[in-house]
Each structure stands twice: as structure tokens, then as C-alpha cells.
Amino acid sequence: MKIMFLAISYWPSQDGVSQVTQYLAEGLAEKHEVRVVASLSSFNRGETHKNVRIDRVRARRNRYFCYLQGEKTLAKKYILEYQPDVLVVVSVQSWGYDWFKKELDRLPGKKVLLTHGASCLKEYNVWNQVKKIRPRRQILADLVRVGNERYWKKYKEKLPADMARFDLVAYLFRGEKLYNYMQQAGLKNGMILENAVENAFFERKAFEIDDNKEVVFINVSNYEKRKDQSKLLHAYAAADLPHSRLVLIGSEENEYYHGLLGMKQKIESKADFQGKIDIWVSIPRSRVLEIYGQADVYVSASSWEAMSISICEAAAGGLLILSTDVGHAAQIPGVQLFQTQEELTRLMKQACADADMRRENGMRANAYAEENYRIQKKVDFLEEKMQALL
């Protein structure tokens, strides 16, 4: 088969969606011809990595009117020149989806959508935003908020009709909001394709506990408000845990990252603070795996997730997982859920004090990951579905 992915991001990006797209593309490339068109960002226009040809186009969402703008003509040129047997669009709310959802029937190949959840499913009320408008210097910002509310309300309403145009739609798990929304709308073109993780993470058996080492809490995610690493810092500081360490790893240096550095400095300046805090940014994947190899507990305070790759990786490694009840976290056996910072502090203390609890829950998570998060199973399943379409 000739397969083309239209992706938000791709190698060498390390975000979750990029990693999933990469292992699927590279896995399929072992038997088929695979090409990826991804967002340009700061990477090369074109290159080949692990037998996958990568081309990149400029695309960004207009901050005032919400629509995606950029090199749509170039992206379409790549599609028409390549003539794929299967065209795979990665994510709704992406340039590949927004630009081509209305003209799928005029593009070559069968059409597959890998959804990765959707952040546009909240309840929208345009009139409420209109009522907040006041004659003042910031009236432009008020008008932008009204426009955004109207845009995403219509976007959400049109999702069922737009997604119905695809031959096959992959959801992350039964019960996720987007899956439920499409079931209510009567769509019949869906399947479940959970995320998976690199084999290297299964080599880590965190539940084989070394009582002499420090207990390492870890979080791997982009530095942003939605991931709420600040809650992790405050909860860890309040736990006051000697012989422990909190490690945060993010992909890009930004304003939120620098805010975390300031919090770290304040926490460490207190004379009675007994823990240790590391905040890493833009480190090689090999170094991430090395740090993971010392971790005991994965902590996540995200306010929204579709299906966190990092939590899947933690489960594969047999770590105890402490998480907010978002995405698929509650489906993994052994995950300890929390809502408040105080609850997280209590769970951190318990994790340090009770090695048996870490061991038992880490083993349960690892067993679930073995059954559900192996990459080869996902590649084989997707390949089978594509061949059936053809």
C-alpha cells in the first residue's frame, strides 16, 4: 500500500500525538510505502527518517478568527502527486482535518481519521459572551472571545457530519467524550485504536523495589497550564519528603516553564525543605528514557487529556501512577486518582511510606499495559483495517 499521514507534528517532536504517529508510520513502513506531511515548525522542509519520507508545510490557527491558515495548496499538491491508497488524517482540530474535511471525496485513496480526542466538546453559549461585552479599552478582546465561542460552537455541531465523510475513524477508547458524542450522533464508521508505547518502557520493572534508593516522582508533558505542573510542585513541597525527588520533563522552554523555575527556587530556598526538584527541558529522548529508568511514581495533574502517552509509558514501566481523573487514567488498574492538591500531597506521602502499595499497583498497571499497549499489536491491527478498506 501507499500510505500518507497528514500530521500536526512528527519526529523529531516528542509530544504524545507525534510519538503515536511515528510508531504507526514507521511500523507500516516495514511493509508499505509511507509518507508523512507534518507542520513545519522549526524543522527541515523535507527529509527521510527510518524509511518514512517527511515533508512539512506551514500552518497556524488565526488567533482572532480561529480558522487555520497556511500552505494548504502545497499540502494538497503533496497528496495529489503521491496518490495514496490510504490517506490518514491525524486529529480533529488539525490543519489536515480542517483544510480537507469538505473535499475528501475529491482526494485519492480511502480516508482514515485518527482522532486523539477533541478539546472542542464543551458547552458553548455565545449569548453569555455577548452579555459580557462592555464599552472599554479591551472591547476588542471581548469581541474576539465572542467570535471564538461562535466558531467552536459551530465546529462542534458540524463534527458528526464532517467525521461521517471518513471511511474509518479511530477512537482512543470506549467511553471517551468524542466516542460517546459520535455514538449519540449515530456514526457507524468507528473503531478503537488505543495508544501504545516503545518496547524500552516495558524493560523497566519499577515494582521490583530497591528500598535503598530515593523515591523518584516523575512527570513528562509539555509545559502548559493544562498540564498544571505547578500543582505537582506545590503538592510535593507540602509533602516534605526526605530521600525523594520530583522530576519534571518538558519539550519546550516557554513562559510557563520559567514560572516553574521561579516556584522551584522559592521552594528550595526554605530552610526546612527536605526534597529535591529537577526541571528539564528539550533533552534527547535517550536521556528521557534514562531518567525514566530511575522513576518510581508517575504524577499527573492535567485538567484534560485524551489518552496520555506518558501515563501509558508509566504503566508499561510498572510505576505507581497518581493522576487526576482525566482521559483513560481510571481504566488502568492500580492508578490512584486525586482531585485536589491536598489529596495529591497525601498520596505522595503514602507512596513514599508504603513500598508494598507501590509494588502491588505497579504490577497491576504493568500487566494491563502488556495486554493493551504493545506497539506491534496496534500496527498490525491498523494495517489489517486498511487492507480491508481496499
Side-chain angles (χ1 to χ4, degrees):
M1 291 183 289
K2 292 178 69 176
I3 304 166
M4 174 174 276
F5 287 80
L6 306 183
I8 307 170
S9 60
Y10 195 74
W11 177 89
S13 293
Q14 295 184 21
D15 61 276
V17 174
S18 174
Q19 291 175 46
V20 174
T21 308
Q22 186 178 340
Y23 70 63
L24 290 173
E26 291 174 2
L28 290 166
E30 292 180 5
K31 298 181 183 179
H32 308 280
E33 184 181 339
V34 179
R35 188 168 177 178
V36 172
V37 182
S39 302
L40 180 59
S41 186
S42 58
F43 306 127
N44 295 331
R45 270 289 188 179
E47 58 192 315
T48 299
H49 179 72
K50 293 191 176 179
N51 208 32
V52 176
R53 171 64 190 179
I54 310 161
D55 293 294
R56 298 188 173 90
V57 297
R58 299 183 190 278
R60 67 179 182 88
R61 195 170 291 281
N62 185 287
R63 60 181 297 187
Y64 299 108
F65 302 105
C66 292
Y67 62 83
L68 276 155
Q69 56 192 104
E71 297 174 325
K72 177 181 177 180
T73 301
L74 179 59
K76 189 172 182 178
K77 177 174 177 286
Y78 286 139
I79 297 169
L80 296 177
E81 287 180 348
Y82 187 64
Q83 289 289 308
D85 298 309
V86 182
L87 181 65
V88 183
V89 177
V90 181
S91 299
V92 299
Q93 300 172 260
S94 68
W95 60 263
Y97 178 85
D98 283 15
W99 284 350
F100 301 118
K101 61 188 177 184
K102 302 293 187 185
E103 53 182 296
L104 290 177
D105 60 340
R106 297 194 295 274
L107 297 176
K110 296 293 185 178
K111 314 306 186 305
V112 176
L113 174 64
L114 307 182
T115 58
H116 293 286
S119 61
C120 61
L121 299 180
K122 70 176 188 176
E123 295 300 319
Y124 297 96
N125 191 315
V126 178
W127 179 239
N128 278 352
Q129 293 297 327
V130 171
K131 289 191 293 185
K132 293 178 183 178
I133 296 177
R134 297 289 183 272
R136 56 185 182 185
R137 291 171 61 186
Q138 288 87 4
I139 191 171
L140 178 59
D142 289 342
L143 292 173
V144 168
R145 278 194 294 272
V146 171
N148 288 353
E149 192 81 359
R150 181 175 178 272
Y151 179 91
W152 290 113
K153 183 176 186 294
K154 293 181 67 176
Y155 193 101
K156 176 185 174 182
E157 291 169 352
K158 293 179 179 179
L159 270 178
D162 291 337
M163 289 174 59
R165 296 187 182 96
F166 287 85
D167 297 293
L168 187 63
V169 175
Y171 303 93
L172 292 171
F173 57 93
R174 287 180 176 83
E176 65 156 313
K177 290 184 69 174
L178 184 59
Y179 175 84
N180 290 341
Y181 186 45
M182 292 306 138
Q183 291 300 297
Q184 292 167 9
L187 266 67
K188 304 295 184 183
N189 58 347
M191 68 172 186
I192 302 299
L193 183 67
E194 293 180 309
N195 289 338
V197 302
E198 298 171 52
N199 291 335
F201 286 96
F202 288 93
E203 298 171 6
R204 166 79 169 133
K205 306 295 183 185
F207 49 80
E208 296 175 354
I209 290 170
D210 179 359
D211 291 321
N212 296 316
K213 70 178 285 294
E214 64 182 5
V215 176
V216 178
F217 298 86
I218 190 171
N219 174 271
V220 182
S221 54
N222 293 331
Y223 289 128
E224 57 181 284
K225 185 177 180 181
R226 175 170 66 86
K227 303 292 186 177
D228 206 358
Q229 289 95 338
S230 63
K231 181 180 287 186
L232 302 181
L233 280 174
H234 290 308
Y236 178 70
D240 194 25
L241 301 170
H243 203 52
S244 73
R245 184 184 300 269
L246 173 65
V247 181
L248 306 180
I249 302 176
S251 59
E252 291 185 4
E253 185 175 333
N254 54 25
E255 185 178 348
Y256 192 87
Y257 162 75
H258 287 289
L260 294 175
L261 291 181
M263 293 178 198
K264 173 182 183 289
Q265 186 175 15
K266 287 181 181 179
I267 292 168
E268 291 178 334
S269 66
K270 297 178 180 178
D272 57 348
F273 176 66
Q274 301 186 70
K276 299 174 184 175
I277 300 172
D278 295 329
I279 301 180
W280 298 89
V281 65
S282 301
I283 60 176
R285 186 67 173 166
S286 58
R287 179 60 177 147
V288 174
L289 291 170
E290 183 181 329
I291 296 171
Y292 240 118
Q294 297 300 313
D296 304 284
V297 184
Y298 189 86
V299 286
S300 172
S302 295
S303 59
W304 181 86
E305 293 283 354
M307 185 176 182
S308 167
I309 278 288
S310 294
I311 286 182
C312 294
E313 292 169 344
L319 279 70
L320 168 64
I321 300 170
L322 312 180
S323 175
T324 45
D325 188 4
V326 296
H328 73 305
Q331 293 192 345
I332 303 174
V335 171
Q336 306 293 296
L337 301 176
F338 66 89
Q339 289 184 326
T340 66
Q341 180 179 306
E342 292 71 26
E343 289 174 326
L344 176 56
T345 295
R346 176 182 60 79
L347 288 173
M348 284 179 155
K349 288 181 178 179
Q350 184 182 12
C352 279
D354 193 342
D356 288 337
M357 187 269 285
R358 296 205 315 271
R359 180 180 296 109
E360 178 184 347
N361 289 311
M363 290 177 68
R364 293 173 67 197
N366 172 258
Y368 184 84
E370 280 284 358
E371 183 65 27
N372 294 280
Y373 298 155
R374 284 288 187 178
I375 284 177
Q376 194 59 51
K377 289 183 178 180
K378 308 304 178 186
V379 174
D380 292 344
F381 180 71
L382 182 58
E383 178 188 39
E384 179 184 326
K385 291 294 184 180
M386 288 178 170
Q387 289 174 330
L389 287 177
L390 296 171

